[in-house]
Amino acid sequence: MQLNPMADETVIAQGRSNLKKIAKFWNRTGLVPKIIVGLLIGILLGVAAPGLSVISLLGTLFVGALRAVAPLLVFVLVMSSLCHTQAGQRTNMRTIIILYLLGNVLAALSAVLASRLFPITLHLSDSVATSDITPPSGVGEVLTNLLLSVVTNPVESLVNANYLGLLAWACMLGIALRQAGDGTKRMLDDLSNAITLVVKWIIECAPFGILGLVYAAISERGLGELISYGELILVLVGTMAFVALVVNPIVVYCCTRKNPYPLVLMCLRDSFVTAFFTRSSAANIPINLEICKRLGLDEDTYSVSIPLGATINMAGAAVTISTMSLAAANTLGISVDFPTALILCILAAASAAGASGVAGGSLLLIPMACSLFGIPNAIAMQVVGIGFIVGVVQDSCETGLNSSTDVLYTAAAEFRDRRLHPERYKNDKKLTDLEHPREGLPN
């Protein structure tokens, strides 16, 4: 039998061409459709061919990669964000920052209330014995553990994934580095961007990881496992809807003393929808800047507040972190009193302000909140894996809430300033009537 070198080269070239087409199709397809496909394949394989350890290994590797990168991500992102925080050029910039942080706390508090009204129980593997968990006996022990974690050596905190210590050291170093030179800040920016890129690479593998996680759950516990995921999605999305349609309008009314819903609904329509599909607050910045321009807001203010909001205004992330950590505590039978829940709200708000700008970034901060209840990192990362399963819906809603609130609070702060200091805007022809927020705006 004679071999034809030309034919072999043709086959190889055709194979390379096919691989390039597959790679282009993979890169062109959004993360959500790929996760949905992975979810469906995991369900089908879990029902049809249970017991294949190779498929379950995909989920284990995915969770392990997240566990490895999460501590470094929290430390660098928070430190880099704080070292660049500067005062705005206008007096109402301070109001905007206060609204951003207040919104995070109120969103976390809403999640705590929702979790008490509709407690969720997750199905976790038995890789870590729950008997080894020592939950705090009360708020005094919580505060003691919190303070001890804060003063832990930062290197030890990185090695042991002590998220409370990492957050504390990142905040202190970030504030101290405000006085650093531009070269140091650029270095932190580059490091932050590099770690964020690594996280993006890992999250790009989410379809395979979720395939393995869903396969393991279905093959071990059956299709009934999906019911708990549905309940979790309802609580998460319902809480975010409550924040968007009840909490935010109350905050806006306190600032403007006028009907807030025309402005709230306009922000949801023009900003939420695009952010829902892009799943990135950073990618939605140009849309938000255009909305502020159409609203006639001060450019010196919104040119700073909108990019800043994409970094620290994370109400949806605060909801996710609080809900998922309380679900883990409820699953393990850990009783959470109200003072401890209040501490969780503050912690969730602070950690949400440093959430990564990539899809699913807030999920990597769940272990920090779980550590408040003495939940080991191994179990907390299982909760993160469940978060990626429900993230097909949760992350899109979270990003939409985060991004639309950037515009909402920026507008609310300026309208408050106009109400309190009308002399500053005496000759200003900018939009001032909140009852008709689309007046003068293109349809």
Side-chain angles (χ1 to χ4, degrees):
M1 179 178 178
Q2 294 183 346
L3 298 177
N4 188 341
M6 296 295 295
D8 291 342
E9 290 180 3
T10 302
V11 172
I12 293 174
Q14 184 65 35
R16 289 176 178 174
S17 176
N18 292 335
L19 288 176
K20 288 181 179 179
K21 290 180 180 179
I22 293 173
K24 287 182 180 179
F25 177 78
W26 175 266
N27 294 329
R28 194 167 56 244
T29 306
L31 183 62
V32 173
K34 290 186 286 190
I35 288 178
I36 293 175
V37 172
L39 188 66
L40 294 176
I41 294 176
I43 294 173
L44 293 175
L45 290 177
V47 173
L52 298 177
S53 58
V54 175
I55 300 178
S56 300
L57 180 62
L58 294 174
T60 304
L61 291 174
F62 178 64
V63 172
L66 291 175
R67 184 189 304 176
V69 76
L72 191 59
L73 175 72
V74 172
F75 183 68
V76 174
L77 281 181
V78 174
M79 182 170 56
S80 177
S81 175
L82 285 177
C83 80
H84 286 88
T85 302
Q86 301 292 338
Q89 299 179 15
R90 293 286 294 263
T91 56
N92 61 327
M93 193 65 204
R94 178 180 299 177
T95 304
I96 294 173
I97 294 176
I98 291 174
L99 289 177
Y100 283 167
L101 299 180
L102 176 64
N104 288 355
V105 174
L106 292 177
L109 182 59
S110 300
V112 170
L113 295 175
S115 297
R116 285 182 173 272
L117 292 174
F118 309 100
I120 297 295
T121 300
L122 306 174
H123 295 290
L124 305 174
S125 70
D126 299 326
S127 58
V128 178
T130 57
S131 59
D132 297 335
I133 302 172
T134 305
S137 59
V139 67
E141 186 175 348
V142 169
L143 290 174
T144 300
N145 294 338
L146 187 65
L147 292 174
L148 291 176
S149 297
V150 165
V151 297
T152 302
N153 183 287
V155 177
E156 184 181 342
S157 296
L158 272 173
V159 173
N160 297 325
N162 173 15
Y163 290 91
L164 296 178
L166 289 177
L167 181 63
W169 282 106
C171 289
M172 288 188 286
L173 289 174
I175 294 173
L177 286 171
R178 286 180 180 178
Q179 310 301 322
D182 292 338
T184 301
K185 293 182 178 180
R186 281 197 299 270
M187 182 196 68
L188 284 175
D189 274 342
D190 292 339
L191 184 58
S192 174
N193 293 335
I195 295 175
T196 301
L197 182 60
V198 171
V199 173
K200 287 181 179 179
W201 291 341
I202 295 174
I203 291 178
E204 278 296 321
C205 299
F208 301 104
I210 288 172
L211 188 156
L213 291 171
V214 172
Y215 172 82
I218 298 300
S219 61
E220 292 174 8
R221 291 181 285 270
L223 289 173
E225 180 77 359
L226 296 178
I227 298 177
S228 63
Y229 294 155
E231 293 173 347
L232 179 59
I233 290 175
L234 288 176
V235 172
L236 285 168
V237 175
T239 304
M240 293 180 195
F242 177 80
V243 171
L245 298 175
V246 178
V247 175
N248 283 348
I250 292 174
V251 173
V252 173
Y253 175 78
C254 292
C255 291
T256 64
R257 298 295 193 271
K258 291 185 178 181
N259 178 14
Y261 280 99
L263 181 63
V264 169
L265 296 177
M266 187 274 292
C267 291
L268 289 175
R269 181 186 62 244
D270 293 349
S271 180
F272 180 94
V273 174
T274 55
F276 181 89
F277 290 103
T278 61
R279 302 176 80 223
S280 171
S281 296
N284 211 46
I285 286 177
I287 302 295
N288 287 344
L289 292 174
E290 179 62 25
I291 295 172
C292 290
K293 182 178 179 180
R294 287 161 47 196
L295 279 172
L297 303 180
D298 182 78
E299 186 176 0
D300 290 337
T301 299
Y302 71 71
S303 63
V304 176
S305 68
I306 295 301
L308 180 64
T311 303
I312 69 172
N313 183 32
M314 297 288 176
V319 170
T320 299
I321 294 167
S322 300
T323 301
M324 298 295 287
S325 57
L326 285 172
N330 186 55
T331 301
L332 299 173
I334 300 174
S335 178
V336 180
D337 54 22
F338 185 78
T340 304
L342 184 61
I343 296 175
L344 173 65
C345 293
I346 299 173
L347 180 65
S351 57
S356 172
V358 300
S362 63
L363 298 176
L364 302 183
L365 299 170
I366 291 173
M368 179 164 54
C370 285
S371 65
L372 184 67
F373 309 122
I375 298 175
N377 191 46
I379 290 182
M381 293 313 297
Q382 290 185 48
V383 179
V384 173
I386 293 174
F388 274 100
I389 294 174
V390 302
V392 173
V393 177
Q394 165 269 326
D395 192 58
S396 294
C397 293
E398 175 186 310
T399 306
L401 177 61
N402 292 341
S403 191
S404 62
T405 309
D406 295 345
V407 180
L408 183 67
Y409 284 168
T410 297
E414 181 158 329
F415 284 123
R416 174 185 178 274
D417 192 54
R418 295 181 185 186
R419 177 174 63 85
L420 296 178
H421 306 284
E423 69 280 359
R424 298 178 182 175
Y425 305 90
K426 183 169 54 177
N427 300 320
D428 199 340
K429 295 182 180 179
K430 294 175 181 177
L431 180 65
T432 57
D433 187 1
L434 277 179
E435 299 295 338
H436 305 284
R438 287 189 60 81
E439 182 179 309
L441 303 182
N443 292 323

